[in-house]
Amino acid sequence: MSKLTWKNPFRKTHYSKQWIGFYWVFLANMLVFTLIAFLVEPIWIDINQFLGNAMSLHWNWLVIIMVVSGILICYGSFLSVANTKKIRKMEDDSIFSLHLANKIIPLTFFLGWNFMLYVLIKEGGEELRVIRPELENISPILFCIIIVILSILFPPTLKRIRKLNYSPPTLNRLKSGGILIFLVITNISGLLLPILAPPVNVLRGSLPEKPKIMAHRGASHLAPENTLVAGQVASDWGAIGWEVDVSISYDGILFLCHDDTAERTTNIAEIFPERVHDDVTMFNMSELHQLDAGSWFVEKDPYKTIHEGYVSQTEAEAFRGEKIPTLAEVLNLTRELDLYVDIDAEGPAEDHPFHDQYWDILLQELADSNLNDKIMINSNNLLATNMTKVGDGRDMINTHHALSNQVFREYEEQHVTVMVWTVDSPSRFSQLWCLGVDFVKTNALHILVPLEKPTWIISYKSYILIWGISCSIGMLGGILMFVMKQKKPEILPVE
């Protein structure tokens, strides 16, 4: 009977310990996933749109994911800590079992959340490079966490070294020496890291001039994108120019549209239901003028700017019936408002009747506008190179904002004019401001235009002083905790 009671307890304990190891991996995975989700906040709108289109449910998926991730972190913390404490109290021959639900739930979410992370990385492309600058932006907080962790680990590590030193074998003393060296290196690294890698918001000189703001697709978060009213609203909000996407109709007229089809930004499903998925360049301009390019913005409120009051209901209702504009209309408005215009040009498919003439037609229309240096054009076409200018005639680099900060710093040192796209995050805009970038394209005029200074800046001297004090306090606190733990209460004699 006793043999039956003893059957397989070691094997059961062995596998339970493996599951507890998995719980710690699960917890760490959830923390990393949540940190990445937090850092990609600048592209949350794009991620929500992608998930909404994929699932045909336009909810705020990122909020749902973050809430569930927070619950999973709490759940993983409980599983890890509680079961680790339980297994430490076990005898070697004790039986220790885990509930089946506590195996299925974390394993399911571990696989599901990592699959979502894989899809995010695969679909995000260069947009995910926002993680690096956003991580740098919160680096002071991370440095503080490092100092706190080092301070907490300091006393138990010294205590372990002390025990090993009192042990007779030479191996234990070598081990204590290795731990001591590791402790010293870790603490020195923690002390020097903030000084060796200060964020760009730490200024060694004066703050550069605020970047000039270009409205991406017009004021695209405040009005229907790529329309005349989007250009007018951009000017009203103080943008110095606007970026537009130029296509060509089937009858050879240049017009504005970003997507390959008109499905997202017009009522084409009502006007031409059988042609919803047709390439927008396969329509004549007379057909495109029949489409309503404004009502979708009012009905969907895709960026919640109507809901949040940045766009009044009266202003929004006026967007209904807005038409797809021709490039000629855009250039006339640009001249009238004294704006820059940044041309994002992409030719039609090879089977389009004006495929070969697209660039000739575009460049001729731009030249005839007499806007000259008010025109910027983003293209690999060699004929367009001489039109890529800014107001004083200098050449300009037009690039994604997720290049490394070191590259932008080198551009500034060499006095290169730089325009970056597409920046909607105040924190990233602040970094580019500190780096001396000249032009920033944004959808979020209502967020970036009102900024009078970066979200945070500090002088290099003040930064070094603060970190020196913080590290000193942290290390002194760790030593003090160690000393206090060594003090034993005096044992009074019993009378």
Side-chain angles (χ1 to χ4, degrees), residues 141-157 183 186-187 474-475 478 481:
I141 299 173
L142 299 179
F143 291 150
C144 283
I145 293 173
I146 290 173
I147 291 173
V148 170
I149 292 174
L150 290 175
S151 301
I152 293 173
L153 293 178
F154 194 78
T157 306
L183 182 67
T186 303
N187 279 273
M475 294 303 101
M481 284 191 289

Side-chain angles (χ1 to χ4, degrees), residues 16-36:
S16 295
K17 287 181 178 180
Q18 287 183 338
W19 273 102
I20 292 171
F22 168 72
Y23 291 156
W24 284 105
V25 172
F26 170 74
L27 175 59
N29 188 82
M30 288 301 104
L31 289 170
V32 170
F33 178 91
T34 305
L35 177 62
I36 292 174

Side-chain angles (χ1 to χ4, degrees), residues 187-419:
N187 279 273
I188 291 176
S189 300
L191 177 66
L192 293 179
L193 186 60
I195 299 172
L196 296 176
V200 296
N201 302 65
V202 176
L203 299 178
R204 296 176 183 268
S206 59
L207 179 67
E209 181 184 350
K210 182 178 179 178
K212 299 175 181 65
I213 294 180
M214 298 282 292
H216 183 240
R217 304 181 200 170
S220 58
H221 283 190
L222 301 168
E225 66 182 57
N226 278 319
T227 61
L228 295 179
V229 72
Q232 181 65 61
V233 172
S235 177
D236 293 343
W237 271 87
I240 61 117
W242 57 323
E243 180 259 11
V244 294
D245 301 281
V246 181
S247 295
I248 190 166
S249 67
Y250 197 74
D251 52 349
I253 299 175
L254 298 168
F255 68 96
L256 300 197
C257 186
H258 173 268
D259 297 358
D260 293 332
T261 73
E263 182 179 12
R264 180 176 64 89
T265 57
T266 74
N267 64 338
I268 192 172
E270 299 173 11
I271 308 301
F272 302 109
E274 72 286 354
R275 301 177 65 186
V276 169
H277 303 297
D278 287 3
D279 193 310
V280 69
T281 62
M282 304 306 285
F283 289 79
N284 290 327
M285 199 65 223
S286 60
E287 294 172 323
L288 294 174
H289 270 154
Q290 297 179 46
L291 303 178
D292 178 349
S295 293
W296 74 276
F297 186 89
V298 184
E299 293 162 1
K300 293 184 178 180
D301 191 13
Y303 312 108
K304 307 305 176 188
T305 47
I306 300 174
H307 174 74
E308 294 170 3
Y310 291 106
V311 180
S312 70
Q313 196 62 45
T314 303
E315 291 171 324
E317 288 299 324
F319 297 155
R320 293 186 184 275
E322 192 70 20
K323 299 301 180 183
I324 294 176
T326 64
L327 179 60
E329 293 172 318
V330 167
L331 296 175
N332 287 336
L333 181 64
T334 300
R335 186 184 304 104
E336 179 186 330
L337 298 176
D338 192 26
L339 298 175
Y340 288 97
V341 61
D342 178 21
I343 306 295
D344 192 348
E346 184 175 353
E350 291 185 3
D351 59 347
H352 192 280
F354 289 91
H355 172 265
D356 294 333
Q357 295 98 328
Y358 173 77
W359 280 104
D360 293 333
I361 295 171
L362 173 60
L363 296 177
Q364 186 61 53
E365 190 160 336
L366 293 176
D368 291 344
S369 71
N370 293 319
L371 285 170
N372 301 322
D373 290 338
K374 287 290 187 179
I375 295 174
M376 307 171 184
I377 185 163
N378 182 22
S379 169
N380 294 325
N381 188 288
L382 295 177
L383 295 174
T385 302
N386 290 332
M387 302 191 77
T388 310
K389 302 287 185 182
V390 289
D392 58 8
R394 286 182 296 166
D395 288 325
M396 175 180 64
I397 290 177
N398 191 348
T399 185
H400 194 278
H401 73 85
L403 294 180
S404 72
N405 288 337
Q406 181 57 37
V407 171
F408 286 122
R409 191 177 283 114
E410 290 172 1
Y411 286 151
E412 170 64 10
E413 291 171 354
Q414 296 172 22
H415 306 290
V416 175
T417 302
V418 177
M419 177 160 67

